[in-house]
């Protein structure tokens, strides 16, 4: 149905503009086509919905910046399935001729999309997937990211662990891109400062049989544990850790996703967990309070980090169009404008690195009474090393 | 691995195995008696967990939630058998697979519509929230001991019902010769309804018991279904005794595999299954 609608409006648009000969008029009247490639079904559906809602809110709030161009959204459900990604990205490019493609959530899907979109005129904005490659070896002038690189939340945690006096750390995660890269980033700063990783465990994704590993941790008795898990796995790990009596005995550190969107389900088991992330819901920044209220008014619930990242993708698009006075036909100009943006994000202002990844603060948070309370800034304006990127 | 850690992991494995048995028992019971391969069995486990979460939120009591959820699951089992499964008795396994796979999609969508896609958790009931000292710096949660005991109690109850009661006699008779049982004037239709509903309820009860220990997320049914099939195949399709032994073996093997070779741990239970099938092609306790 929606496809028919899009087709119909495309036909209508071409017949209408066919009569107009001046390009200036066409530029002002052409809709800005924003493709949304996010998961709306499957295990990441909630993340996809949040990202889309944030994106749409930003474009609604900044409608005046678009210089009269209407916005046309094309939504395709990635189902978080990497195998479908190239086909969907290709249809965004060729069939829908999107100016911007916002997506995806899942790093595997990101790889499939990048394969199709890299070096093309369409601007790809990643509102979540943290895979190092997207702004590393596979970086491209037309690929931007408004979220994070897997390296960013974990790297400062090595330093944090050392400052807290931990010498021996047990590291555990899933054996896939984000998991491996998170542990590697932690290890990088932790071992450089003299820390020792006593054990590194990589479990098959998305296995959640953690109890035997928690027993193993109790037996090895390290100074602390560092981990990356997200979603259902994060809930299960934190609960198992608490159930086996380790909470309060061996400190639990992690990449911030361990306690993001999961606190209610984790309950008391999450109290005292220390994590690093580029956002915290209670972050005391005026823009954050403003955004949270606006989002709640629009959708009836408070936003999470995925909504923030989608919102910033929307802000980036709106500001770029504004600075170009509504004419986005020159893609080179679009890219160089976007590169220079300073995004007034709910997480605090950020700019893009050469590789197009946010240069942003990483906050040190600790769970207190079911809330991620910001303790300090673990790393200020942290830039991903973008290893392998030639931009 | 120290002796102490060995025993700790053995207990972890047994506890996991007991839960696996509870989930797999319904699957193997239904297959053994009715010859129906219910691929949506994992969905029933998911439904149990979500119902438990939902009713805990409403009633505030885990006990009340558990009873309500089990009753709803029993009703759901009767409904599914009467409306859908009944039409499959004279059809082949492919039709059963198609219908029950379809049910997986239906239940996943219902879950998404009714309860959304957020991950949920259920708090351990107050009375069972303590823990007993275990090793130097770990303790064992009372709830997990309780869960293991419930699994043993249900296993014993199943054994008693099947081998000592009239219902069990009919079940066993129905397994070996359906026509003869019918000829003797037993209403095999309602017997099947009862067995299927019990199967669904067993899966849901495992979901309820697992709820405070696991995360309640979309897709939780499918992941458990595969492990269940491994358990049932190792034990011998249709054998409850086999499911019990198979579940404990799978629990222990996967627990030790997870610690000793974490990256390969998912594969180990399948390799174990292949080894068992090489020696006993019909499973350990095949009929």
């Amino acid at each position: 149905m929606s496809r028919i609608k899009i087709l119909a409006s495309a036909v209508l648009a071409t017949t209408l503009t066919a009569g107009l000969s001046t390009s200036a008029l066409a530029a002002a009247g052409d809709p800005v086509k924003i493709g949304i490639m996010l998961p709306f079904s499957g295990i990441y559906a909630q993340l996809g919905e949040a990202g889309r809602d944030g994106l749409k809110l930003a474009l609604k709030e900044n409608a005046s910046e678009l210089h009269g161009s209407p916005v046309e959204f094309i939504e395709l459900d990635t189902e978080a399935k990497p195998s479908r990604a190239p086909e969907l990205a290709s249809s965004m490019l060729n069939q829908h001729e999107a100016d911007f493609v916002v997506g995806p959530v899942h790093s595997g899907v990101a790889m499939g999309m990048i394969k199709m979109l890299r070096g093309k005129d369409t601007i790809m904005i990643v509102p979540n997937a943290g895979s190092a490659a997207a702004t590393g070896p596979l970086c491209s002038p037309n690929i931007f990211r408004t979220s994070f690189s897997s390296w960013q939340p974990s790297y400062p945690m090595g330093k944090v662990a050392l400052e807290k006096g931990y010498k021996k750390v047990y590291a555990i995660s899933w054996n896939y891109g984000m998991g491996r890269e998170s542990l590697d980033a932690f290890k990088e700063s932790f071992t450089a400062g003299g820390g020792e990783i006593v054990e590194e465990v990589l479990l098959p994704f998305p296995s959640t049989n953690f109890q035997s590993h928690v027993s193993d941790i109790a037996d090895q008795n390290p100074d602390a544990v560092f981990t990356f898990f997200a979603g259902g796995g994060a809930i299960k790990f934190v609960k198992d850790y608490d159930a086996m009596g380790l909470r309060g005995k061996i400190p639990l550190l992690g990449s911030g996703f361990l306690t993001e969107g999961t606190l209610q389900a984790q309950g008391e088991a999450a109290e005292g967990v220390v994590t690093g992330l580029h956002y915290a819901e209670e972050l005391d920044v005026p823009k954050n309070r403003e955004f949270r209220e606006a989002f709640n008014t629009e959708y009836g619930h408070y936003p999470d980090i995925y909504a923030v990242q989608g919102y910033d993708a929307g802000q980036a698009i709106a500001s770029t169009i504004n600075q170009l006075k509504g004419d986005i036909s020159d893609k080179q100009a679009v890219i160089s404008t976007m590169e220079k943006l300073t995004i007034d994000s709910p997480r605090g202002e950020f700019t893009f690195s050469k590789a197009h990844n946010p240069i942003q603060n990483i906050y040190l948070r600790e769970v207190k009474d079911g809330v991620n309370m910001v303790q300090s800034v673990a790393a200020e304006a942290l830039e991903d090393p973008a290893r392998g990127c030639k931009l | 691995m120290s002796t102490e850690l060995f025993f700790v992991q053995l207990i972890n494995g047994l506890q996991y195995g007991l839960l696996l048995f509870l989930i797999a028992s319904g699957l193997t019971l239904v297959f053994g008696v009715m010859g129906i391969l219910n691929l949506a069995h994992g969905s029933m486990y998911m439904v149990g967990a979500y119902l438990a979460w939902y009713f805990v939120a409403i009633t505030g009591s885990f006990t009340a939630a558990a009873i309500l959820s089990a009753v709803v699951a029993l009703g759901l089992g009767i409904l599914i058998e009467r409306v859908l499964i009944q039409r499959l008795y004279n059809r082949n396994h492919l039709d059963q697979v198609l219908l029950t796979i379809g049910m997986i999609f239906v239940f996943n969508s219902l879950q998404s519509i009714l309860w959304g896609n957020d991950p949920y958790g259920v708090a351990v009931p107050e009375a069972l929230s303590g823990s007993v000292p275990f090793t130097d710096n770990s303790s064992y949660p009372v709830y997990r001991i309780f869960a293991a005991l419930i699994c043993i109690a249900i296993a014993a109850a199943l054994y008693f019902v099947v081998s000592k009661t009239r219902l069990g006699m009919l079940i066993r008779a129905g397994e070996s010769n359906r026509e003869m049982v019918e000829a003797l004037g037993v209403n095999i239709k309602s017997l099947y309804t009862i067995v299927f509903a019990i199967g669904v309820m067993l899966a849901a009860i495992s979901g309820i018991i697992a709820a405070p220990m696991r995360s309640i997320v979309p897709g939780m049914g499918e992941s458990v279904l595969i492990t269940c099939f491994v358990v049932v195949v190792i034990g011998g399709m249709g054998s409850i005794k086999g499911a019990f032994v198979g579940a404990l073996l799978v629990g222990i093997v996967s627990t030790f595999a997870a610690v000793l070779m974490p990256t390969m741990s998912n594969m180990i239970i399948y390799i174990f299954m292949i080894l068992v099938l090489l020696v006993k092609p019909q499973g350990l306790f095949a009929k």
Side-chain angles (χ1 to χ4, degrees):
Chain A
M1 188 61 202
S2 66
R3 187 167 283 182
I4 294 170
K5 249 191 222 164
I6 292 165
L7 260 176
S9 60
V11 170
L12 195 68
T14 33
T15 38
L16 282 177
T17 48
L20 305 168
S21 53
T22 52
S23 63
L25 260 178
D30 274 351
V32 178
K33 290 188 184 170
I34 302 179
I36 304 178
M37 277 185 64
L38 292 171
F40 301 119
S41 61
I43 189 157
Y44 284 142
Q46 174 216 356
L47 282 58
E49 285 159 19
R52 175 193 57 196
D53 290 350
L55 172 77
K56 289 194 168 172
L57 178 66
L59 287 156
K60 193 179 163 192
E61 280 181 356
N62 297 303
S64 63
E65 292 196 351
L66 304 178
H67 290 261
S69 309
V71 178
E72 181 185 317
F73 292 107
I74 304 129
E75 293 183 23
L76 298 182
D77 181 4
T78 63
E79 300 169 40
K81 283 188 184 147
S83 54
R84 293 199 62 204
E87 176 202 333
L88 293 179
S90 163
S91 100
M92 280 293 185
L93 200 61
N94 302 318
Q95 188 190 343
H96 302 297
E97 297 179 331
D99 298 300
F100 299 90
V101 173
V102 178
V105 161
H106 184 285
S107 281
V109 176
M111 294 302 106
M113 288 174 67
I114 289 172
K115 199 160 81 183
M116 297 308 300
L117 299 174
R118 198 163 179 252
K120 299 290 193 307
D121 277 347
T122 297
I123 310 290
M124 171 173 170
I125 304 179
V126 182
N128 189 58
S131 159
T135 57
L138 295 177
C139 72
S140 167
N142 69 323
I143 299 174
F144 288 79
R145 180 150 60 190
T146 56
S147 50
F148 60 94
S149 72
S150 54
W151 183 88
Q152 281 180 313
S154 293
Y155 180 79
M157 293 307 286
K159 212 180 75 201
V160 167
L162 290 167
E163 279 166 7
K164 288 183 183 278
Y166 310 145
K167 294 278 185 298
K168 294 182 173 190
V169 165
Y170 189 111
I172 179 167
S173 186
W174 279 314
N175 189 15
Y176 77 131
M178 185 70 194
R180 276 195 308 270
E181 287 166 15
S182 298
L183 294 197
D184 285 348
F186 174 83
K187 244 188 324 189
E188 189 184 332
S189 63
F190 186 63
T191 52
E196 186 200 343
I197 303 287
V198 287
E199 180 94 51
E200 184 176 353
V201 177
L202 289 168
L203 303 171
F205 178 79
S207 157
T208 58
N209 271 332
F210 299 135
Q211 195 167 324
S212 50
H213 299 284
V214 174
S215 293
D216 190 39
I217 292 170
D219 188 62
Q220 297 216 20
N221 199 17
D223 296 337
V225 173
F226 179 82
T227 180
F228 166 84
F229 289 112
I235 297 171
K236 177 74 167 42
F237 186 82
V238 168
K239 280 191 146 187
D240 279 355
Y241 200 82
D242 174 55
M244 302 301 285
L246 293 193
R247 179 166 69 95
K249 287 200 187 114
I250 303 173
L252 180 58
L253 313 177
S255 172
F257 298 94
L258 189 64
T259 55
E260 213 47 43
T262 56
L263 281 174
Q264 215 183 350
Q266 285 160 338
E268 212 189 315
E271 290 295 305
V273 174
V274 172
T275 59
L277 200 67
H278 50 289
Y279 180 65
E281 290 178 4
E282 300 306 313
L283 192 63
D284 195 16
V285 177
K287 179 72 186 178
N288 188 37
R289 288 192 294 268
E290 217 174 274
F291 165 69
R292 294 184 65 75
E293 288 313 318
F295 192 95
N296 186 35
T297 312
E298 183 81 15
Y299 301 109
H301 62 98
Y302 283 97
D304 55 15
I305 185 167
Y306 308 104
V308 171
Q309 295 167 168
Y311 181 77
D312 289 340
Q315 290 205 96
I317 292 172
S319 304
T320 304
I321 296 173
N322 186 30
Q323 292 196 15
L324 292 168
K325 305 203 162 36
D327 178 15
I328 53 165
S329 51
D330 179 358
K331 296 302 170 188
Q332 243 11 77
V334 172
I335 290 170
S336 57
T337 308
M338 202 173 260
E339 278 174 337
K340 291 187 204 82
L341 291 179
T342 298
I343 310 279
D344 184 15
S345 167
R347 74 189 94 164
E349 285 188 351
F350 74 83
T351 54
F352 290 107
S353 68
K354 268 193 186 144
H356 298 171
N357 195 65
I359 301 178
Q360 57 193 345
N361 290 346
I362 300 298
Y363 302 99
L364 182 66
R365 306 124 26 108
E366 183 175 346
V367 180
K368 282 188 181 154
D369 301 324
V371 176
N372 283 305
M373 297 303 289
V374 177
Q375 304 293 303
S376 62
V377 178
E380 205 158 317
L382 186 67
E383 182 176 347
D384 180 82
R387 293 178 185 119
C389 174
K390 298 207 172 63
L391 279 179
Chain B
M1 188 181 281
S2 65
T3 342
E4 187 192 67
L5 187 60
F6 176 82
F7 280 106
V8 169
Q9 300 297 18
L10 195 62
I11 290 170
N12 283 335
L14 283 173
Q15 189 222 316
Y16 177 48
L18 284 168
L19 184 67
L20 276 182
F21 163 72
L22 194 54
I23 312 172
S25 61
L27 186 69
T28 207
L29 178 74
V30 168
F31 184 81
V33 177
M34 303 159 63
I36 293 275
L37 198 56
N38 182 12
L39 289 175
H41 194 72
S43 303
M44 302 302 133
Y45 166 80
M46 174 194 77
V47 166
Y50 271 94
L51 282 175
W53 168 79
Y54 178 70
F55 284 127
V56 164
I58 290 180
T59 63
S61 149
F62 185 76
T63 318
I67 293 168
L68 279 171
S69 310
V71 171
V72 170
L74 191 68
L76 187 67
I78 294 172
L79 188 75
I80 293 173
E81 202 274 343
R82 280 283 149 97
V83 176
L84 298 169
I85 304 292
Q86 235 173 42
R87 292 157 211 279
L88 289 179
Y89 294 137
N90 298 320
R91 306 240 196 144
N92 58 21
H93 281 307
L94 181 62
D95 288 347
Q96 300 173 2
V97 165
L98 285 176
L99 177 79
T100 51
I101 282 191
M103 279 160 58
I104 296 180
F105 291 115
V106 170
F107 279 106
N108 280 350
S109 299
L110 281 177
Q111 163 263 312
S112 179
I113 293 164
L114 290 175
W115 295 305
N117 295 313
D118 291 355
Y120 299 119
V122 169
V124 171
E126 199 63 44
L128 298 168
S129 65
S131 55
V132 289
F134 193 39
T135 61
D136 287 347
N137 58 354
S138 77
S139 47
Y140 219 84
V142 171
Y143 182 79
R144 288 179 194 208
I145 299 169
F146 166 80
L149 291 178
I150 291 274
C151 292
I152 293 173
I154 291 176
L158 261 180
Y159 174 79
F160 177 78
V161 168
V162 171
S163 60
K164 306 279 184 215
T165 64
R166 192 179 158 75
L167 175 67
M169 203 173 69
L170 290 173
I171 289 175
R172 279 178 290 139
E175 269 175 46
S176 32
N177 196 332
R178 189 187 155 171
E179 285 79 15
M180 186 57 82
V181 176
E182 257 184 320
L184 289 173
V186 175
N187 185 348
I188 199 106
K189 256 188 160 181
S190 47
L191 179 71
Y192 276 14
T193 308
I194 293 169
V195 169
F196 188 83
I198 290 176
V200 166
M201 191 169 75
L202 283 171
I205 289 176
S206 8
I208 298 163
I209 290 175
M213 300 188 279
R214 310 198 139 234
S215 41
I216 301 164
V217 288
M220 64 185 288
E222 284 96 295
S223 56
V224 89
L225 178 74
I226 312 267
T227 320
C228 264
F229 269 107
V230 173
V231 164
V232 169
V233 168
I234 287 177
M237 300 284 288
S239 160
I240 291 179
K241 203 203 294 171
F244 189 75
V245 176
L248 293 188
L249 285 174
V250 167
I252 291 167
V253 166
S254 68
T255 299
F256 278 96
V259 182
L260 297 174
M261 36 194 149
T263 38
M264 286 175 66
S265 57
N266 271 14
M267 211 198 303
I268 300 293
I269 58 167
Y270 303 107
I271 294 174
F272 179 65
M273 179 176 77
I274 291 169
L275 292 177
V276 169
L277 293 185
L278 281 176
V279 183
K280 286 230 162 193
Q282 301 292 315
L284 294 174
F285 293 88
K287 305 217 155 160

